[in-house]
């Protein structure tokens, strides 16, 4: 038996279809949930406690119901007058919290504004300097701010002792006092540096320098594949070491053992015993030229960085490759080690697609932080010997950072060249050496560039061969040694005859021009 289908008009069917569609999609998850009054109050109370707990104790004037109409109009200031005796209620944490078994009394539940006479008596009892200081305060109370909010013209709060001395029932109000405008600190005066000695002897670009811990001699590595040891006092050659088959890019002298470490573009990392002047260990593993190395100051660990985009951590004694620090996408140009975290810092060369600085966790062998602020390759890093800070040099500018997280401090702009080397001493003198042969000296704290040096190349060299590849202070910090492209080593010292009068600070603060990135 077939059941007759009831026929409906098209209008009815369309309406039913619309109704079904509406019922199906009425629970739209994208729609905001309707506001629940109770949960909103709880949320606002928590937000008040979290954000404004410091000022919740300030009293709010209890508005009287018998106040005449128009009393809250803009420009009409309702300040407490003597004799009005308005009641003040505590809106935040109670001034008299009830202890165990102690109930609040009627006197402690409600605070009353101190009378004008009492305030004057207290002001007179204070020392004169303190009374003058408190009387000069002009901070308005919270009640005044509420009453005058939205006014067309805000007039300053009157100089009354009642408002300034005992704002908020005896608590001095410091949160509303106007802050001092930011000022640039004046740079410290540093004596200018002058060329003291030029040492020649290498037959190629001098690429690296290291000073031994006793401050008697220093080591250089060069493009002539040799390592030379020089007497620091006289500048005379003491010893030449051969063994590398390509440019020597990094040298380091151990403070913990009589060892010298060197690395070069031949992928080799060597450990030299300075008692026998022979290579006693090789550290194999890098797949390309090794550009820099550094020794950990407190443990027997050597860190090298290479064109294969890695830095490697070696155990000095066992020659084991403890960690391979991978993460950079291009040549790692420089590496620095320190005793505190982060114990290893690396900077990358070659172009804008990886111009980053990485701070490494030595124990885990992983990146702790990546600093991406530089736009050009980072070839130089300098650790401050006393502060917990770092400077990085790039062709865009020099940047200063704080450890352990690598927070940015400031830019040092003006050395518009490719910066290959940097050094800093404990007096706060930062030196940056560039590819064009210029040396800039900066005040570390303020970033003031107090001297620029462009030493002449040695006779017989081209002007284009004036480039700084490495620079370092000796351990007394009275000598600055630079390794240059004209195959010489130049030694600078402070000018003893200079004074603040003969070389004044030409300081012009540029607060607005200092880029904050």
């Amino acid at each position: 038996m077939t059941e007759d289908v009831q026929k409906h008009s098209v209008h009815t069917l369309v309406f039913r279809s619309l109704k079904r569609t509406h019922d199906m999609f009425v629970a739209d998850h994208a729609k905001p949930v309707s506001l629940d009054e109770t949960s909103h109050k709880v949320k606002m109370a928590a937000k008040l406690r979290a954000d404004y707990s410091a000022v919740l104790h300030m009293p709010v004037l209890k508005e009287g119901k018998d106040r005449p109409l128009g009393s809250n109009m803009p420009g009409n200031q309702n300040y407490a007058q003597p004799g009005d005796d308005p009641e003040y209620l505590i809106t935040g944490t109670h001034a008299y919290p009830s202890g165990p078994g102690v109930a609040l009394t009627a006197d402690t539940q409600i605070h009353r504004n101190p009378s004008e006479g009492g305030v004057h008596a207290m002001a007179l009892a204070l020392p004169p300097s303190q009374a003058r200081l408190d009387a000069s305060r002009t901070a308005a109370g919270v009640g005044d701010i509420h009453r005058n909010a939205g006014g067309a013209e805000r007039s300053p709060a009157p100089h009354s002792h009642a408002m300034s001395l005992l704002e908020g029932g005896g608590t001095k109000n410091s949160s509303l006092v106007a802050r001092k405008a930011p000022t640039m600190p004046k740079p410290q005066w540093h004596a200018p540096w002058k060329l003291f000695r030029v040492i020649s002897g290498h037959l190629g670009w001098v690429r690296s320098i290291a000073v031994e811990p006793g401050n008697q001699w220093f080591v250089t590595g060069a493009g002539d594949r040799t390592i030379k040891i020089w007497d620091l006092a006289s500048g005379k050659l003491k010893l030449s070491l051969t063994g590398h088959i390509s440019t020597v890019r990094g040298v380091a002298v151990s403070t913990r053992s009589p060892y010298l470490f060197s690395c070069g573009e031949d992928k080799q990392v060597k450990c030299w015993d300075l008692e026998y002047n022979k290579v006693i260990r090789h550290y194999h593993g890098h797949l390309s030229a090794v550009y820099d190395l550094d020794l950990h100051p407190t443990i027997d660990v050597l860190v090298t960085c290479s064109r294969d985009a890695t830095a490697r951590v070696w155990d000095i004694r066992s020659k084991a490759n403890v960690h391979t620090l991978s993460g950079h996408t291009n040549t790692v140009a420089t590496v620095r080690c320190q005793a505190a975290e982060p114990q290893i810092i690396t900077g990358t060369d070659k172009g804008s697609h990886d111009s980053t600085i990485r701070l490494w966790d030595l124990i885990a062998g992983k990146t702790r932080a990546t600093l991406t602020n530089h736009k050009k390759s980072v070839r130089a890093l300098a650790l401050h010997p006393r502060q917990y800070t770092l400077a990085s040099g790039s062709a865009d500018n020099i940047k200063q950072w704080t450890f352990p997280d690598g927070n940015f401090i400031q830019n040092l702009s003006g050395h518009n060249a490719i910066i290959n080397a940097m050094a800093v001493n404990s007096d706060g003198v930062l030196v940056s050496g560039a590819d064009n042969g210029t040396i800039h000296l900066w005040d570390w704290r303020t970033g003031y560039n107090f001297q620029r040096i462009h030493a002449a190349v040695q006779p017989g060299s081209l002007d284009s061969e004036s480039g700084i590849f490495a620079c370092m202070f000796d351990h007394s910090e009275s000598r600055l040694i630079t390794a240059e492209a004209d195959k010489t080593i130049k030694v600078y010292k402070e000018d003893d005859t200079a004074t603040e009068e003969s070389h004044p600070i030409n300081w012009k603060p540029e607060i607005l021009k200092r880029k904050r990135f």
Side-chain angles (χ1 to χ4, degrees):
M1 182 180 176
T2 58
E3 191 176 336
D4 291 336
V5 179
Q6 188 178 1
K7 290 185 179 180
H8 295 285
S9 66
V10 176
H11 182 272
T12 309
L13 292 172
V14 167
F15 180 76
R16 282 185 182 177
S17 176
L18 279 172
K19 188 174 184 305
R20 283 196 203 99
T21 308
H22 176 267
D23 292 342
M24 183 182 292
F25 294 106
V26 73
D28 187 1
H29 297 291
K31 284 186 179 178
V33 182
S34 58
L35 187 67
D36 181 43
E37 202 66 38
T38 313
S39 61
H40 181 67
K41 281 181 181 175
V42 172
K43 175 188 168 186
M44 292 310 291
K47 192 170 176 65
L48 276 169
R49 203 162 44 247
D51 293 352
Y52 303 106
S53 58
V55 293
L56 271 178
H57 68 277
M58 297 173 69
V60 176
L61 186 63
K62 193 166 79 175
E63 303 288 346
K65 292 182 181 176
D66 54 350
R67 203 170 287 280
L69 288 172
S71 61
N72 288 331
M73 292 293 287
N76 194 356
Q77 301 179 349
N78 298 307
Y79 298 115
Q81 300 296 330
D84 284 0
D85 201 21
E87 290 181 347
Y88 277 77
L89 295 180
I90 303 302
T91 55
T93 309
H94 208 282
Y96 302 104
S98 56
V102 178
L104 291 176
T105 64
D107 293 331
T108 55
Q109 278 180 350
I110 295 179
H111 280 247
R112 296 186 177 276
N113 197 30
S115 66
E116 194 76 15
V119 170
H120 279 296
M122 185 172 286
L124 289 170
L126 287 170
S129 59
Q130 185 68 32
R132 272 201 302 274
L133 181 70
D134 290 329
S136 65
R137 294 226 174 125
T138 58
V142 173
D144 304 324
I145 293 170
H146 278 303
R147 281 195 301 278
N148 295 300
E153 277 185 33
R154 312 266 171 95
S155 55
H159 292 263
S160 71
H161 289 291
M163 225 167 291
S164 61
L165 179 65
L166 292 171
E167 184 71 51
T171 308
K172 285 182 190 172
N173 177 21
S174 58
S175 59
L176 297 175
V177 175
R179 287 188 181 179
K180 217 174 140 186
T183 55
M184 288 273 294
K186 191 174 180 183
Q188 179 189 345
W189 183 83
H190 300 285
W193 292 68
K194 62 180 181 181
L195 185 61
F196 165 63
R197 177 178 285 136
V198 178
I199 303 169
S200 57
H202 276 295
L203 302 176
W205 289 354
V206 188
R207 300 300 303 239
S208 53
I209 305 172
V211 181
E212 65 100 12
N215 216 38
Q216 300 295 312
W217 46 266
F218 66 96
V219 190
T220 55
D224 59 4
R225 309 188 297 276
T226 63
I227 298 164
K228 290 185 185 288
I229 296 177
W230 311 84
D231 185 66
L232 186 59
S234 63
K236 290 180 180 173
L237 180 65
K238 291 167 74 81
L239 184 69
S240 288
L241 299 172
T242 56
H244 280 281
I245 56 172
S246 190
T247 302
V248 181
R249 292 295 293 261
V251 287
V253 185
S254 174
T255 57
R256 300 163 58 84
S257 53
Y259 295 154
L260 163 69
F261 296 87
S262 64
C263 65
E265 292 179 6
D266 51 9
K267 309 180 203 173
Q268 294 184 3
V269 182
K270 295 175 185 284
C271 172
W272 304 77
D273 188 330
L274 293 173
E275 292 177 349
Y276 299 97
N277 299 330
K278 289 182 180 176
V279 178
I280 56 168
R281 295 189 189 105
H282 284 93
Y283 302 91
H284 293 287
H286 278 297
L287 308 176
S288 191
V290 187
Y291 278 179
D292 198 9
L293 82 170
D294 200 14
L295 289 160
H296 196 285
T298 56
I299 53 177
D300 286 329
V301 157
L302 169 71
V303 185
T304 56
C305 63
S306 167
R307 198 168 61 191
D308 60 11
T310 65
R312 290 178 187 261
V313 183
W314 309 91
D315 183 341
I316 289 174
R317 292 196 182 101
S318 68
K319 299 181 284 187
N321 186 186
V322 181
H323 287 304
T324 300
L325 308 177
S326 55
H328 286 295
T329 58
N330 218 314
T331 303
V332 187
T334 180
V335 62
R336 288 290 174 270
C337 294
Q338 62 178 4
E341 290 292 340
Q343 296 182 50
I344 301 173
I345 305 103
T346 56
T348 49
D349 195 357
K350 303 287 186 201
S352 57
H353 54 283
D354 184 19
S355 50
T356 60
I357 301 160
R358 282 181 184 253
L359 315 180
W360 299 88
D361 184 340
L362 177 58
I363 298 164
K366 292 181 180 175
T367 304
R368 182 192 174 102
T370 305
L371 313 179
T372 58
N373 301 41
H374 279 292
K375 300 181 183 69
K376 303 282 180 71
S377 59
V378 182
R379 293 190 184 183
L381 297 171
L383 302 173
H384 196 287
R386 290 186 181 168
Q387 297 176 18
Y388 196 35
T389 49
L390 161 82
S392 58
S394 173
D396 50 6
N397 48 33
I398 298 166
K399 295 180 188 291
Q400 289 178 339
W401 318 83
T402 58
F403 291 129
D405 300 319
N407 296 321
F408 175 76
I409 304 173
Q410 65 179 352
N411 280 328
L412 279 63
S413 301
H415 203 170
N416 301 318
I418 298 168
I419 295 171
N420 288 327
M422 287 200 305
V424 59
N425 67 10
S426 12
D427 289 338
V429 176
L430 173 68
V431 180
S432 57
D435 227 22
N436 59 2
T438 56
I439 300 171
H440 284 208
L441 292 99
W442 313 79
D443 177 46
W444 178 274
R445 191 170 64 101
T446 58
Y448 168 63
N449 181 203
F450 68 89
Q451 190 183 4
R452 300 182 179 189
I453 304 170
H454 193 173
V457 294
Q458 74 166 338
S461 299
L462 301 172
D463 287 337
S464 59
E465 286 188 304
S466 66
I468 315 291
F469 288 122
C471 65
M472 190 174 189
F473 286 101
D474 73 339
H475 292 297
S476 70
E477 298 183 339
S478 61
R479 299 285 182 271
L480 169 67
I481 310 165
T482 62
E484 310 211 359
D486 63 352
K487 309 183 184 77
T488 65
I489 301 138
K490 293 188 172 73
V491 184
Y492 295 84
K493 69 173 183 179
E494 283 184 326
D495 188 353
D496 300 330
T497 60
T499 61
E500 288 193 52
E501 287 73 31
S502 64
H503 293 78
I505 295 174
N506 182 23
W507 179 65
K508 293 173 185 173
E510 298 177 343
I511 297 174
L512 297 175
K513 292 184 182 177
R514 291 168 70 116
K515 297 177 189 172
R516 300 300 295 172
F517 55 81

